Amino acid sequence: MSRWKAPHLTVIAALLVAASTPISANAAPPATSRPLASGPVNPGFDTGDLTGWTVTEGTAFGPAAVTATDTYWGGPFHHRGSHHLWGHAAAGDDATGTLRSASFAAPARMSFLVGGGWDPERLYVALVRDSDGRVLRKQTGPQDEAYVRIVWDTSAWRGQGVHLEVVDRKAGGWGHLNLDDVRTGEAAVRDDNGLTFRTLGQAGQPTAPTAPRDFTADPLRPQFHYTPYQGWINDPNGVIQWRGRHHLFSQFYPDAPLWGPMHWAHAEGPDAVHWRDLPVALTPPPRVTPTDNSGVFSGSAVDDDGTLTVAYTKFTDTAAHPGAAPETVAIATSTDGVNFTPGTEVITQAPPGSSAGFRDPKVFRDPVDGRWKMVVGSGDGGRGKVQLYASDDLRTWTYTGVLAEGDGTTGAMWECPDLFPLDGKWVLLYSTNEGGQSLQRYAVGDYDGSGFRAERHGILDGGGDTYAAQSYRDDAGRRLMTAWMSDWNVKEPTRVNGWAGAQSLHRELFLAPDGRLGQRPVAAADSLAEGAPVTVTDKTVTGTWRLGRGETARVKAVLDLGRATADTVTLRLKASAAEATVLRYEKADGTLSLDTTGAGYGTRATYRTQVKPSPDGTLALDIFVDRSSVEVFTGDGAALTARVYPRYRESQAVEFAAEGGRLHLRSASLTRLGSAVLPD
């Protein structure tokens, strides 16, 4: 029997009973059910307790879980109202349990703030139907205490009796969930400030095995940066142009938007901008224990007389494999660019003085002596270093010695080294962690086949999201580079949609006249343009002026500093009345800063670099704005990169502002950009 017919039968039965009952002035009126509330009682826990909510099992959600605490070890919670539910506060991560709301009538839309750990099967907020206990919607956390708003389409169950359950069946690290500000109806999609929430949550992502992948559905997914559809990526690996096509491999864990046993994801394309996913190139061995994290760590690719050859770190989790060497170097090959042979170990143990690690081999043909060379990241005694090997056949390697070593101020481990000639000099790239900050460093100097002598050191990108850079020489002779557009400390709110990580736009490297390592967007980025640009010339700005709007856009501007009287020039990107990513140039000292403290979800920081105007007194800016990233390039080769995650759909404006005077623009343009995803 269809359930929708049941109310009709109930009405008929009631009428039959009424017809057979004598009418009496003292008879009680027929009993009626109390109408369901339009939302859960105490939706933001602002009573300061669990009023309206019931602990149905366990100890994870006792009274102490309701808190007025504003901040945690990583910053503000961003909760609403006076209180919120912090799953860690009651009994820590080891406690488990379930919390149930009062019943209410399902609305057409509802939303809520969620924080805490990521585990879709053991840690989630669920919408449950009263009549049969069916879970209609569920959502796990972002693996961060800070809240992210989830929006659900619940129109299919509108009017039915439902309730929320906060489920914690996970013990151990990140075994808790946070909840606040449950909203229904119009308030679920529109904030108190009149702006519209972006629709986040895995319920809106087509991820079923038979569903076509939709790279546009997620409002935070970059459209012209490589990302995993689901899962996690970090370091780019094996970047190369092989048989005319550009190949991009990435550290990849397909089973969760978290670091795990590493695979190599694989994509290729015609121009180092557009990418088509290929099958996973390298996979780790099967786990011997549930926590075995052995995997295929970072590496590089070369063309060995027509054979695509990759060198990588074979990582063995010694907790699961006692007595094994934790990091060795292996080689795998492919003749078709898709299928790879099983890896063969070619370096079975680290050299002395590698206590901090031994990983990320980068192979290159050395023009000094014509041999294959390999640089490997390492460190010992608090000093990062790069180890050097040599080979005639890519199979038998001889340890040459330490290529370069730090002085103790640039991190204890140098990861992802890359050594290459450029404009008559040699460049060494390496990634470090210094005091909890991830940095992409470089050095420019001389190399003689066995040793590197640095003449200049620098930070490749002044932003917070450039790490593990890897470069290659393409068929046109350009030195192209890409990097993980993230780092080990940033927030990843996209985890609520099942993915995390992105690779930067490919960049062309060059040496500036003063010896600094500079970068510019790869020329093929021009092909992303869609439609006619918005352009202005010879424009004077006082106060604030809007150039245009664009969720994905390229913004170019030439600032005439000689005619500007403003002390500070500001460019608000991804801007609305409530949030923006702010780019500022200070004329007094040449500082260019990128401020994400009011940008929405994600890391709150201000990043800085020094820029030099052109001899004619102008400053050229070339800015790429994607759904959750901003990359800023200057005419002198400086760069600032940051991941930013706006809360609101309206946060798309590009606005110039002058502080303390006027700004003069020789030119400015905004061009909408399209997708870089090629069909599978």
Side-chain angles (χ1 to χ4, degrees):
M1 182 186 294
S2 298
R3 278 198 172 84
W4 66 269
K5 293 181 179 178
H8 176 64
L9 295 177
T10 301
V11 170
I12 293 174
L15 291 174
L16 290 174
V17 171
S20 62
T21 303
I23 298 176
S24 168
N26 297 322
T32 58
S33 61
R34 180 178 299 176
L36 288 169
S38 59
V41 175
N42 196 16
F45 303 94
D46 290 328
T47 60
D49 56 25
L50 289 175
T51 297
W53 297 78
T54 303
V55 175
T56 55
E57 63 177 273
T59 60
F61 301 108
V66 178
T67 180
T69 304
D70 292 326
T71 61
Y72 65 102
W73 49 90
F77 280 101
H78 297 300
H79 65 286
R80 297 294 185 95
S82 60
H83 291 75
H84 59 108
L85 183 77
W86 185 15
H88 187 270
D93 281 340
D94 288 334
T96 60
T98 304
L99 183 68
R100 173 177 173 156
S101 76
S103 294
F104 57 97
R109 303 281 283 181
M110 63 183 303
S111 71
F112 55 89
L113 294 173
V114 68
W118 185 96
D119 191 325
E121 301 305 317
R122 297 182 294 171
L123 207 59
Y124 53 87
V125 178
L127 181 68
V128 181
R129 185 158 55 196
D130 291 342
S131 61
D132 58 4
R134 179 187 169 191
V135 174
L136 307 175
R137 288 276 186 258
K138 61 190 295 190
Q139 178 64 51
T140 190
Q143 199 82 349
D144 185 45
E145 302 294 355
Y147 284 109
V148 175
R149 181 163 295 279
I150 305 301
V151 179
W152 281 342
D153 179 354
T154 53
S155 57
W157 310 285
R158 188 171 185 175
Q160 297 182 27
V162 296
H163 62 273
L164 289 174
E165 288 185 359
V166 188
V167 178
D168 178 357
R169 297 193 180 100
K170 181 180 181 181
W174 284 106
H176 69 274
L177 208 63
N178 311 336
L179 179 67
D180 192 33
D181 198 36
V182 180
R183 294 177 172 226
T184 59
E186 179 66 16
V189 295
R190 192 173 300 277
D191 205 353
D192 303 340
N193 56 20
L195 299 178
T196 309
F197 296 121
R198 291 183 182 270
T199 303
L200 305 183
Q202 283 185 271
Q205 307 302 307
T207 57
T210 58
R213 299 190 305 171
D214 185 350
F215 282 88
T216 65
D218 184 340
L220 293 182
R221 183 185 294 281
Q223 296 298 285
F224 54 88
H225 293 84
Y226 181 77
T227 66
Y229 187 68
Q230 290 282 278
W232 160 280
I233 61 170
N234 53 284
D235 305 358
N237 300 149
V239 290
I240 191 174
Q241 187 173 11
W242 185 72
R243 296 183 181 175
R245 306 286 287 184
H246 296 262
H247 289 257
L248 170 64
F249 302 86
S250 303
Q251 291 282 276
F252 176 48
Y253 183 51
D255 296 339
L258 306 166
W259 187 91
M262 285 291 101
H263 302 55
W264 272 29
H266 188 190
E268 63 87 33
D271 56 8
V273 171
H274 294 85
W275 301 105
R276 174 174 67 99
D277 271 323
L278 293 176
V280 172
L282 303 175
T283 59
R287 282 177 154 173
V288 301
T289 69
T291 58
D292 182 2
N293 281 321
S294 300
V296 184
F297 276 15
S298 294
S300 55
V302 294
D303 184 344
D304 182 21
D305 292 329
T307 298
L308 181 58
T309 303
V310 298
Y312 62 90
T313 300
K314 177 185 175 184
F315 169 70
T316 302
D317 187 340
T318 55
H321 303 266
E327 294 172 318
T328 61
V329 177
I331 295 283
T333 62
S334 174
T335 57
D336 62 6
V338 177
N339 301 291
F340 285 80
T341 62
T344 301
E345 280 188 318
V346 294
I347 301 176
T348 58
Q349 62 181 1
S354 302
S355 62
F358 178 67
R359 55 184 173 268
D360 314 330
K362 179 64 188 290
V363 178
F364 62 99
R365 180 72 82 171
D366 191 343
V368 176
D369 57 15
R371 305 182 73 195
W372 291 110
K373 296 293 175 65
M374 176 195 295
V375 289
V376 186
S378 187
D380 186 58
R383 301 158 68 98
K385 65 175 69 172
V386 177
Q387 310 281 11
L388 182 66
Y389 287 78
S391 175
D392 294 317
D393 60 2
L394 294 174
R395 302 302 187 275
T396 302
W397 291 89
T398 302
Y399 177 55
T400 300
V402 176
L403 175 81
E405 185 173 8
D407 60 4
T409 66
T410 56
M413 172 70 193
W414 286 3
E415 295 189 301
C416 304
D418 189 0
L419 181 68
F420 53 87
L422 183 68
D423 299 341
K425 305 297 289 187
W426 281 79
V427 176
L428 176 66
L429 300 178
Y430 56 100
S431 300
T432 69
N433 187 286
E434 302 169 31
Q437 182 180 12
S438 298
L439 294 174
Q440 179 59 58
R441 289 189 170 272
Y442 74 85
V444 179
D446 293 317
Y447 166 71
D448 62 6
S450 60
F452 175 81
R453 290 170 296 280
E455 299 171 352
R456 186 184 187 108
H457 298 269
I459 304 296
L460 182 63
D461 188 304
D465 294 308
T466 300
Y467 195 79
Q470 191 173 121
S471 75
Y472 64 106
R473 187 178 185 273
D474 74 349
D475 293 348
R478 301 174 299 176
R479 177 58 59 171
L480 302 186
M481 180 276 292
T482 187
W484 180 28
M485 196 164 60
S486 191
D487 70 41
W488 294 112
N489 304 304
V490 301
K491 300 175 182 297
E492 296 279 4
T494 63
R495 285 194 181 103
V496 298
N497 289 345
W499 65 275
Q503 308 300 18
S504 75
L505 194 69
H506 271 51
R507 307 168 182 192
E508 182 180 357
L509 299 178
F510 63 92
L511 290 185
D514 64 358
R516 291 178 300 118
L517 181 60
Q519 54 200 301
R520 62 176 70 97
V522 66
D526 293 347
S527 65
L528 292 166
E530 285 192 343
V534 176
T535 60
V536 297
T537 57
D538 198 27
K539 171 73 176 180
T540 299
V541 176
T542 55
T544 300
W545 171 73
R546 178 172 293 184
L547 172 62
R549 297 173 57 84
E551 186 177 52
T552 59
R554 186 176 189 175
V555 180
K556 288 187 173 183
V558 178
L559 314 182
D560 190 334
L561 302 177
R563 296 176 61 182
T565 60
D567 300 320
T568 303
V569 175
T570 298
L571 182 53
R572 285 168 44 88
L573 305 163
K574 307 183 81 64
S576 66
E579 58 189 2
T581 302
V582 182
L583 184 69
R584 292 188 181 91
Y585 176 69
E586 304 287 348
K587 284 181 61 178
D589 59 6
T591 298
L592 186 70
S593 64
L594 190 63
D595 183 352
T596 67
T597 56
Y601 305 119
T603 305
R604 298 162 61 89
T606 300
Y607 309 106
R608 295 178 175 84
T609 191
Q610 295 299 120
V611 298
K612 294 183 178 180
S614 299
D616 64 355
T618 62
L619 174 62
L621 299 173
D622 192 356
I623 304 167
F624 286 79
V625 178
D626 211 337
R627 287 183 175 179
S628 59
S629 67
V630 171
E631 290 171 285
V632 180
F633 302 93
T634 67
D636 67 335
L640 290 167
T641 300
R643 296 297 304 278
V644 292
Y645 308 91
R647 290 181 171 86
Y648 303 109
R649 294 180 185 177
E650 292 84 356
S651 300
Q652 298 184 24
V654 176
E655 300 171 339
F656 287 89
E659 301 176 19
R662 65 177 182 272
L663 161 67
H664 188 79
L665 296 171
R666 285 198 183 179
S667 62
S669 64
L670 184 152
T671 306
R672 296 181 187 273
L673 301 183
S675 172
V677 178
L678 298 175
D680 293 338

